[in-house]
Amino acid sequence: MTKSTFWPDIAAKAKSEHRPFFTMAPMEAVSNTVFRQVIAKAYAPDTFFSEFVYAKGITDPTTKFPVDGRLYVDKTESKKPVVQLWGNIAEDFESAGQAIQSQGFPAIDINTGCPDKTVIKNHGGSDLIRHHDDLIKIVQAAKKTDLAVSIKTRLGYSKAEEFKEWIPFLLEQHVDLLTIHLRSKMEMSKVPAHFEVIDDIIKMRNEIAPETLIQINGDVEDFQAGLKLAKEHPGLDGIMIGRGVFYNPFAFEPVSKNHSLDELLGLLRMQLDLFDKFATHYDVPRFPSLKRFFKIYARPELGATDLRNEMLQANSTDEVRKILDDFQSK
């Protein structure tokens, strides 16, 4: 464990409200300052995670995986996110942690679950499931800062059954928080999350590292689903939502409400403005990366299929605004 009270404080506040804590998952080209502000406008989770950040890139701008705007935090954000780091060199995590701490971030998360081929090829993400010695060194290096240290992982590399050895090993590292995506690397997101192992994981935690908080990720779409899951599995501390925000940007709302198309398009307009503002600081991400978000707002069930298809043909934020103006003026 670290001396940081970051995660215990979050857990204590949630517990006082008789619920698990909720976080938004680290997602490549999604969890940056722009989308964090949009989700916060809709309804903020207890805390956010950053995009994936290559540990070495924080102190070495010449790497092939530059940080660019991944650590940018807009002054309007109420708090800085947890920084998720990937890589496999302990020294990189130590230097990255020191740099992140100096910038006022509260916590770092070690990525041992990403199934991306490029990340694995460079010995990060879920590749660490196969290299225990590297992970031990990384955790020790990360703990040399005053930051909270957590790990995000999967149940195993080839098979979900690997959790029986893998999770106890992680618990023996005594981090502040362990987040588990309830699938193996090979399963990707092609099978349902293995909710049936949650109680086994909680039992492992209670026996090996009772101070480590447990958070689960995978197939939890919104606050209500997370609350139900936590009630079904006493001892579960936190719920991380990832893809759920693509189905519903109001996923963290404690009381589910019906939201109009105009409300959703208002969030899209906010995202367009924030995107343009972000572009004045960094040359990434570029406009095509915005198109993945259109499906969040232009919902087929709200009669916006044609609107979404038209926006997908746009080449700039101004073109999208013009399309929205024409649509909403009808």
Side-chain angles (χ1 to χ4, degrees), residues 121-132:
K121 183 180 178 181
N122 286 274
H123 311 296
S126 56
D127 188 57
L128 287 171
I129 297 174
R130 304 183 293 188
H131 297 93
H132 291 199

Side-chain angles (χ1 to χ4, degrees), residues 99-162:
I100 289 168
Q101 181 175 320
S102 71
Q103 294 173 41
F105 288 92
I108 56 178
D109 184 69
I110 301 168
N111 182 332
T112 73
C114 179
D116 180 77
K117 292 180 180 179
T118 299
V119 172
I120 291 173
K121 183 180 178 181
N122 286 274
H123 311 296
S126 56
D127 188 57
L128 287 171
I129 297 174
R130 304 183 293 188
H131 297 93
H132 291 199
D133 289 346
D134 286 345
L135 184 58
I136 290 173
K137 295 174 184 176
I138 287 170
V139 173
Q140 291 173 343
K143 287 183 176 181
K144 291 182 179 180
T145 69
D146 294 327
L147 301 173
V149 176
S150 59
I151 295 175
K152 185 173 187 291
T153 193
R154 285 180 173 249
L155 292 175
Y157 191 90
S158 299
K159 299 178 181 180
E161 290 76 14
E162 294 172 23

Side-chain angles (χ1 to χ4, degrees), residues 146-195:
D146 294 327
L147 301 173
V149 176
S150 59
I151 295 175
K152 185 173 187 291
T153 193
R154 285 180 173 249
L155 292 175
Y157 191 90
S158 299
K159 299 178 181 180
E161 290 76 14
E162 294 172 23
F163 87 93
K164 294 175 183 178
E165 290 76 37
W166 173 235
I167 298 303
F169 166 74
L170 292 178
L171 289 167
E172 288 168 359
Q173 309 314 308
H174 296 283
V175 292
D176 300 296
L177 167 70
L178 178 60
T179 303
I180 304 147
H181 182 126
L182 296 173
R183 298 180 178 94
S184 70
K185 179 271 176 188
M186 297 301 290
E187 288 175 326
M188 301 291 284
S189 294
K190 298 176 183 178
V191 303
H194 296 283
F195 293 132

Side-chain angles (χ1 to χ4, degrees), residues 25-82:
M27 292 177 279
E28 178 66 14
V30 174
S31 305
N32 62 16
T33 181
V34 172
F35 196 56
R36 293 197 303 265
Q37 290 179 76
V38 172
I39 294 300
K41 175 69 174 179
Y43 202 98
D46 292 292
T47 196
F48 290 94
F49 283 68
S50 72
E51 296 178 86
F52 309 152
V53 181
Y54 185 46
K56 186 176 182 179
I58 292 178
T59 55
D60 182 358
T62 67
T63 64
K64 58 183 175 180
F65 303 111
V67 173
D68 291 324
R70 294 167 188 267
L71 293 180
Y72 181 79
V73 179
D74 191 85
K75 62 183 179 181
T76 63
E77 294 186 73
S78 62
K79 51 190 174 183
K80 294 191 174 186
V82 176

Side-chain angles (χ1 to χ4, degrees), residues 250 253 258-268 297 328:
F250 296 90
E253 204 170 52
N258 291 322
H259 294 278
S260 68
L261 180 59
D262 281 344
E263 281 184 274
L264 290 167
L265 296 183
L267 290 179
L268 173 55
Y297 311 109
Q328 293 184 297

